[in-house]
Amino acid sequence: QVQLVESGGGLVQAGGSLRLSCAGSGSISSFYWMAWFRQASGKEREFVAAARWSGDAPQYAYFVKGRFTISRDNAKNTMYLQMNSLIPEDTAVYYCTAGPTVLDVTQRGYYDYWGQGTQVTVSL
Protein backbone atom coordinates (compact mmCIF):
# COMPACT_ATOMS: atom_id res chain seq x y z
CA GLN A 1 0.00 0.00 0.00
CA VAL A 2 1.40 3.36 -1.04
CA GLN A 3 1.33 6.20 1.46
CA LEU A 4 2.54 9.79 1.21
CA VAL A 5 3.04 11.99 4.25
CA GLU A 6 3.79 15.69 3.99
CA SER A 7 5.47 17.80 6.64
CA GLY A 8 7.11 21.20 7.02
CA GLY A 9 4.17 23.53 6.60
CA GLY A 10 3.55 26.44 8.92
CA LEU A 11 3.19 30.19 9.29
CA VAL A 12 5.83 32.45 7.78
CA GLN A 13 6.12 36.15 7.00
CA ALA A 14 6.22 37.38 3.44
CA GLY A 15 9.72 37.10 2.05
CA GLY A 16 10.50 34.11 4.22
CA SER A 17 11.20 30.48 3.38
CA LEU A 18 9.82 27.05 4.15
CA ARG A 19 10.88 23.57 3.16
CA LEU A 20 8.21 20.95 2.66
CA SER A 21 8.93 17.23 2.75
CA CYS A 22 6.97 14.30 1.41
CA ALA A 23 7.89 10.83 2.62
CA GLY A 24 6.62 7.91 0.61
CA SER A 25 6.22 4.26 1.50
CA GLY A 26 5.22 1.35 -0.67
CA SER A 27 6.03 0.24 -4.19
CA ILE A 28 9.04 2.08 -5.59
CA SER A 29 7.55 2.12 -9.08
CA SER A 30 4.69 4.23 -7.77
CA PHE A 31 7.08 7.12 -7.25
CA TYR A 32 8.48 7.53 -10.75
CA TRP A 33 6.69 10.85 -10.93
CA MET A 34 6.25 12.98 -7.84
CA ALA A 35 4.74 16.41 -7.67
CA TRP A 36 3.36 19.17 -5.50
CA PHE A 37 -0.06 20.69 -5.92
CA ARG A 38 -1.70 23.32 -3.75
CA GLN A 39 -5.22 24.39 -2.96
CA ALA A 40 -6.11 27.78 -1.57
CA SER A 41 -9.37 28.30 0.24
CA GLY A 42 -12.24 28.49 -2.22
CA LYS A 43 -10.05 27.65 -5.20
CA GLU A 44 -9.27 24.56 -7.23
CA ARG A 45 -6.21 22.47 -6.61
CA GLU A 46 -3.38 23.64 -8.87
CA PHE A 47 -0.06 22.31 -10.05
CA VAL A 48 3.09 23.67 -8.42
CA ALA A 49 6.07 21.50 -9.39
CA ALA A 50 6.97 17.99 -10.55
CA ALA A 51 10.04 15.82 -10.88
CA ARG A 52 10.61 12.40 -12.38
CA TRP A 53 12.70 9.69 -10.75
CA SER A 54 15.97 10.98 -12.18
CA GLY A 55 15.28 14.47 -10.89
CA ASP A 56 16.32 16.08 -14.16
CA ALA A 57 14.21 18.62 -16.02
CA PRO A 58 11.85 19.48 -13.16
CA GLN A 59 8.76 21.39 -14.15
CA TYR A 60 7.27 24.38 -12.39
CA ALA A 61 4.15 26.46 -12.54
CA TYR A 62 4.97 29.91 -13.85
CA PHE A 63 4.01 31.58 -10.59
CA VAL A 64 6.68 29.73 -8.56
CA LYS A 65 9.54 29.66 -11.08
CA GLY A 66 12.67 31.14 -9.61
CA ARG A 67 11.28 30.96 -6.07
CA PHE A 68 10.53 27.26 -5.46
CA THR A 69 12.81 24.27 -6.00
CA ILE A 70 11.69 20.66 -6.14
CA SER A 71 14.14 17.88 -5.32
CA ARG A 72 14.16 14.18 -4.54
CA ASP A 73 16.09 11.73 -2.42
CA ASN A 74 15.13 8.41 -3.95
CA ALA A 75 17.08 6.40 -1.40
CA LYS A 76 14.65 7.75 1.18
CA ASN A 77 11.59 7.86 -1.11
CA THR A 78 11.34 11.51 -0.14
CA MET A 79 10.59 14.63 -2.12
CA TYR A 80 11.16 18.20 -1.06
CA LEU A 81 9.89 21.63 -1.98
CA GLN A 82 12.13 24.51 -1.00
CA MET A 83 10.01 27.64 -1.03
CA ASN A 84 11.77 31.01 -0.95
CA SER A 85 10.53 34.59 -1.29
CA LEU A 86 7.09 33.54 -0.15
CA ILE A 87 4.17 35.86 -0.78
CA PRO A 88 0.68 35.86 0.74
CA GLU A 89 -0.70 34.38 -2.50
CA ASP A 90 1.28 31.21 -1.74
CA THR A 91 -1.03 30.53 1.22
CA ALA A 92 -2.65 27.15 0.62
CA VAL A 93 -2.73 23.52 1.60
CA TYR A 94 0.15 21.84 -0.21
CA TYR A 95 -0.32 18.27 -1.38
CA CYS A 96 2.25 15.69 -2.35
CA THR A 97 1.31 13.29 -5.12
CA ALA A 98 2.89 10.44 -7.02
CA GLY A 99 2.28 8.07 -9.86
CA PRO A 100 4.08 5.64 -12.16
CA THR A 101 2.79 7.06 -15.43
CA VAL A 102 1.92 10.72 -15.82
CA LEU A 103 1.23 12.02 -19.31
CA ASP A 104 0.72 15.61 -18.21
CA VAL A 105 2.36 16.57 -14.94
CA THR A 106 0.09 19.58 -14.51
CA GLN A 107 -3.10 17.51 -14.48
CA ARG A 108 -3.98 15.97 -11.14
CA GLY A 109 -6.03 13.19 -12.74
CA TYR A 110 -2.87 11.38 -13.85
CA TYR A 111 -1.57 10.86 -10.32
CA ASP A 112 -2.53 7.77 -8.35
CA TYR A 113 -1.56 8.65 -4.79
CA TRP A 114 -2.01 11.72 -2.63
CA GLY A 115 -0.91 12.85 0.81
CA GLN A 116 -3.17 14.47 3.36
CA GLY A 117 -1.74 17.94 2.78
CA THR A 118 0.16 20.46 4.87
CA GLN A 119 -0.94 24.05 5.50
CA VAL A 120 1.30 26.92 4.45
CA THR A 121 0.28 30.38 5.57
CA VAL A 122 2.18 33.49 4.48
CA SER A 123 1.42 36.68 6.38
CA LEU A 124 2.19 40.27 5.44
Side-chain angles (χ1 to χ4, degrees):
Q1 185 176 356
V2 174
Q3 288 189 324
L4 300 170
V5 179
E6 302 97 333
S7 61
L11 174 64
V12 64
Q13 285 190 326
S17 299
L18 280 175
R19 188 193 195 205
L20 305 183
S21 299
C22 171
S25 60
S27 171
I28 296 295
S29 63
S30 302
F31 305 122
Y32 184 80
W33 282 101
M34 296 188 78
W36 292 97
F37 280 69
R38 71 185 187 185
Q39 187 166 16
S41 180
K43 295 188 177 181
E44 291 195 357
R45 195 170 298 187
E46 62 182 359
F47 169 76
V48 174
R52 70 183 76 198
W53 181 267
S54 62
D56 64 329
Q59 299 184 47
Y60 297 94
Y62 72 92
F63 47 79
V64 302
K65 261 186 181 179
R67 301 190 297 124
F68 291 10
T69 302
I70 188 171
S71 61
R72 301 182 56 154
D73 183 342
N74 293 329
K76 298 180 180 179
N77 268 358
T78 301
M79 174 179 65
Y80 305 96
L81 186 68
Q82 178 65 43
M83 305 186 296
N84 298 329
S85 302
L86 285 161
I87 59 177
E89 290 75 14
D90 293 320
T91 295
V93 177
Y94 283 71
Y95 294 92
C96 166
T97 185
T101 305
V102 178
L103 301 182
D104 184 341
V105 298
T106 69
Q107 300 301 310
R108 60 188 182 185
Y110 286 109
Y111 296 92
D112 294 328
Y113 308 101
W114 292 84
Q116 81 289 350
T118 186
Q119 176 71 46
V120 171
T121 303
V122 184
S123 63
L124 287 170

